[in-house]
Amino acid sequence: MSARPRTPAGVGAKRATPEAPDNRRADLVRVAARLFREKGFDGTTIRDIAHAVGMRSGSPFYHFASKHELLMAVMEEGLRLGLERTQHVLADATLPAAERFARLVRTQYGILHDTGSDFIPVMLYDWRSLPAQYKRRIIELKDRYDAIWQRTLDELHAQGLLRADPRLARLMILGAINFSATWYRAKPRAATRVDLDELAAQTVALVLHPV
Amino acid sequence: MSARPRTPAGVGAKRATPEAPDNRRADLVRVAARLFREKGFDGTTIRDIAHAVGMRSGSPFYHFASKHELLMAVMEEGLRLGLERTQHVLADATLPAAERFARLVRTQYGILHDTGSDFIPVMLYDWRSLPAQYKRRIIELKDRYDAIWQRTLDELHAQGLLRADPRLARLMILGAINFSATWYRAKPRAATRVDLDELAAQTVALVLHPV
DNA sequence: CCTACCGATCGGTAGG
DNA sequence: CCTACCGATCGGTAGG
C-alpha cells in the first residue's frame, strides 16, 4: 500500500533535499500537465495526480490551494518555457526575417510535441476551465508571446513574402501549427511519418510567397 | 429499458404535434450543442440541458441512453450538416479549383460561426470525451469531409497554386480555419471587426500562390 | 416525460 | 504530507 514518501535526504531539511529543492511542487505541475493533456482538466482527478507522484489524495492541497491553481501553474509554466525558447530564436539579430520565421515555426512545433511538452497543449485545450481571475495573468504572458511573432510577421509582410493581413496571418499560422496538437503523433505508422523539421518546412512553404 | 422510442410519424403519433413531429429530440441536440460549446462536455450537466429545453433532470434519458450518446448525436448532426453544405459547393463542376477553394474556406467559417452552428466546434473541442466505440462512426463521416477538401487541394497543388504537400496542407489549412473557434467573436469591439467574408479572403490570400 | 431516488465520485478540509 | 472524512454534485434508473 505504499509507493510513497521519499525521505528528505538533507540534514534538517523539511521537504527539500539539497540536490532538488522543493521539487515536489514541480513534480505535481509536470504530472498534472501530462494528465490534463491526456484526459482533460475535468477528466483528471486530484487523486489521479496525487497517486501519479506517489502522494495521497489530500496532499496536493498542501502545495496548491485548489485544482484550478494547479491548472494555472501548468499554463504559466508552459508560457514561461515557451517564451524562453521563442525569445532565444531572436537572439541572432542578423538573421533575415524569413529564416527567423522558419525557426519560430520549428520552435513552436517543438513546444507542442517535444517529450514532456504538455503545458501549452493544456493551455490551448483547457482554457475554458481556467477561472476568469487567473486568465488575466496568463493573457499577459500570452501577449508577449504574440508580440514576438507579430514583429516578424510584420517584417515579412513589408517584404512582400506574406500576402495576408499580418494580424490575421498570425492567428491563422499559429492556428495551423497549434491545431497539430489534435492530429500529430510522434509515432504513427512508420510509412506516413512526418518529423517536426519536415512539418515546419511544409508550414513555411505553405504561407511564404517567394518574391 | 431501451431508450429508443422515436415517435412513428404516422397516424397515432403520441407526443408529436402535426407541425413539429418529434422535435424534442432535436431540441435536446441543439441545446446540448450550445451548452457543450460554451462550457464543455464535462462542464455541462444533464440537468443544465434538460432545464434549458423545459424538461426535468431525468427526462433526457427517455431520448438518449446516456450523456455520451447525446454527445455523439451532436457531432453526427454537425458532420451531416457540414457535409451537406460542403458538398453543395462542389455542385458547379465548371468552377476553377481556386474559386472552389475560396468557397470551401468561406463555408467552413460559416459552419463554425454562423448562428446555431455549435456542432462542429463541439466535435473539435470535446473529441476526447467521445468513447472509442462511437468514434469510429464519426470518423467515417469525417473522412468523407476530408476527402472533399483533399480533391480540391490536390488540384491546386497540381496547378502550382499550393506550395506544400497537399495532405499536410489540408491539415494545416483546416487547422488555421478551425482554430478560429478559439478566438473569433462575431461582435468584438466594432473597430477591429472582421467578418467571415473578409476572414475567408485573407485565408485564401495567405496560402494560395498566384502563378 | 415526471417523481423520487441511489450509488459513486470528487474537490476540499480538519487536525495532526 | 497523511488520515479520515464531509457536503455537494452528477449520471443514471425504477416505476408510473
Side-chain angles (χ1 to χ4, degrees), chain A residues 15-43:
Chain A
R15 310 184 316 280
T17 73
E19 304 84 9
D22 190 27
N23 65 7
R24 295 306 275 156
R25 187 183 193 278
D27 286 348
L28 283 167
V29 174
R30 190 168 27 75
V31 164
R34 179 168 56 79
L35 293 175
F36 288 163
R37 181 183 199 166
E38 285 171 14
K39 312 195 288 178
F41 177 74
D42 289 312

Side-chain angles (χ1 to χ4, degrees), chain B residues 126-139:
Chain B
D126 278 315
W127 180 252
R128 213 164 29 186
S129 299
L130 193 69
Q133 77 238 53
Y134 295 142
K135 280 187 180 168
R136 303 180 203 289
R137 194 151 137 201
I138 302 296
I139 285 174

Side-chain angles (χ1 to χ4, degrees), chain B residues 2-35:
Chain B
S2 54
R4 218 39 41 74
R6 213 152 219 148
T7 351
V11 220
K14 283 222 168 83
R15 312 182 315 282
T17 73
E19 303 84 10
D22 190 29
N23 64 8
R24 295 305 275 158
R25 187 183 192 276
D27 287 347
L28 283 167
V29 173
R30 189 166 29 73
V31 165
R34 179 167 56 79
L35 294 175

Side-chain angles (χ1 to χ4, degrees), chain A residues 132-209:
Chain A
Q133 76 236 52
Y134 296 143
K135 280 187 181 169
R136 304 180 202 289
R137 193 150 138 201
I138 302 295
I139 286 174
E140 242 175 81
L141 288 169
K142 194 178 158 334
D143 283 346
R144 288 162 58 189
Y145 208 96
D146 286 341
I148 293 175
W149 279 81
Q150 196 60 66
R151 267 196 300 277
T152 297
L153 293 175
D154 287 345
E155 276 185 65
L156 291 172
H157 185 255
Q159 295 174 13
L161 293 170
L162 199 65
R163 302 280 184 88
D165 172 84
R167 275 191 69 82
L168 292 177
R170 192 197 78 227
L171 290 162
M172 294 190 283
I173 292 168
L174 277 168
I177 299 171
N178 288 342
F179 210 75
S180 72
T182 68
W183 60 263
Y184 183 80
R185 294 289 164 261
K187 293 200 172 274
R189 291 151 264 157
T192 358
R193 175 145 193 183
V194 184
D195 67 24
L196 296 182
D197 287 335
E198 176 64 11
L199 199 48
Q202 293 291 331
T203 304
V204 173
L206 181 71
V207 303
L208 281 201
H209 296 235

Side-chain angles (χ1 to χ4, degrees), chain B residues 1-5 61-62 65:
Chain B
M1 216 46 23
S2 54
R4 218 39 41 74
F61 294 105
Y62 175 73

Side-chain angles (χ1 to χ4, degrees), chain A residues 168, chain B residues 106 109 184-186 192-201:
Chain A
L168 292 177
Chain B
R106 177 61 181 82
Y109 277 116
Y184 184 80
R185 293 291 163 259
T192 358
R193 175 144 191 184
V194 184
D195 68 22
L196 296 181
D197 287 336
E198 176 64 12
L199 199 48

